[in-house]
Amino acid sequence: MAKEQGQKMVAQNKKARHDYHIEDTWEAGLVLMGTEVKSLRQGRASLVDGFAEIDNGEAWLLGVHIPEYSQGTWTNHSARRRRKLLLNRSEIDKIERKITDKGYTIVPLALYFKDGRAKVEIALAKGKKSYDKRHTLAERTANREKVDAVQRRLKGHRD
């Protein structure tokens, strides 16, 4: 069987970039059961309620929903179990130092296969207030209108 190359996206947490200020990101491997891998290869996963924590010097991913494999038997996994993250000791220590600050959390941004291995992109994030979210939306709208105006101007249309 040929070895997989490249990257295949399984799930993204688009709402995380809206709800949090992203400070730093890391790529981590996942410890999975066989039926979880098969379910992920079918493109079935949800990162919406997911978060990570450091417990006894180990990183764990919680709240991520990987549905049971449809052709699985009694060896099937539970959909929302704790999954261990594979990170270097220095990365775990760095994350642990940073999340001791009030208001920081670790959220998963993306779940994908990279060269045949399941990976998750996690981020150190701080929650946004509702006025921050409105400000971000207004800024994005203003930038979009500015780009549209420039494009119309380049095409020769008058405002």
Side-chain angles (χ1 to χ4, degrees), residues 114-128:
K114 184 176 181 181
D115 296 333
R117 310 238 182 217
K119 303 283 184 180
V120 64
E121 182 181 12
I122 57 172
L124 180 72
K126 192 167 193 169
K128 284 185 182 178

Side-chain angles (χ1 to χ4, degrees), residues 124-142:
L124 180 72
K126 192 167 193 169
K128 284 185 182 178
K129 306 284 188 221
S130 60
Y131 57 82
D132 288 335
K133 295 177 190 177
R134 286 193 300 268
H135 178 72
T136 303
L137 286 173
E139 203 173 275
R140 192 180 314 143
T141 304

Side-chain angles (χ1 to χ4, degrees), residues 5 17 20 35-36 44-45 59-60 66 74 87 97 111 140 143 145 147 151:
Q5 295 293 318
R17 295 194 187 274
Y20 299 99
T35 54
E36 287 175 318
R44 302 171 61 207
W60 295 89
I66 300 175
W74 58 272
L87 291 164
R97 277 193 307 272
L111 185 62
R140 192 180 314 143
N143 285 339
E145 288 174 357
V147 168
Q151 292 297 324

Side-chain angles (χ1 to χ4, degrees), residues 18 36 44 57 69 75 86 88 94 96 98 107 111 115 121 131-132 146 155 157:
H18 180 262
E36 287 175 318
R44 302 171 61 207
Y69 182 56
T75 59
L86 302 174
N88 292 330
K94 183 190 265 187
E96 193 168 21
K98 288 184 177 182
V107 293
L111 185 62
D115 296 333
E121 182 181 12
Y131 57 82
D132 288 335
K146 185 169 54 173
K155 290 181 179 178
H157 298 289

Side-chain angles (χ1 to χ4, degrees), residues 13-22 25 109 121 128:
N13 190 354
K14 294 178 183 176
K15 197 157 176 71
R17 295 194 187 274
H18 180 262
D19 290 342
Y20 299 99
H21 291 288
I22 305 298
T25 60
L109 298 178
E121 182 181 12
K128 284 185 182 178

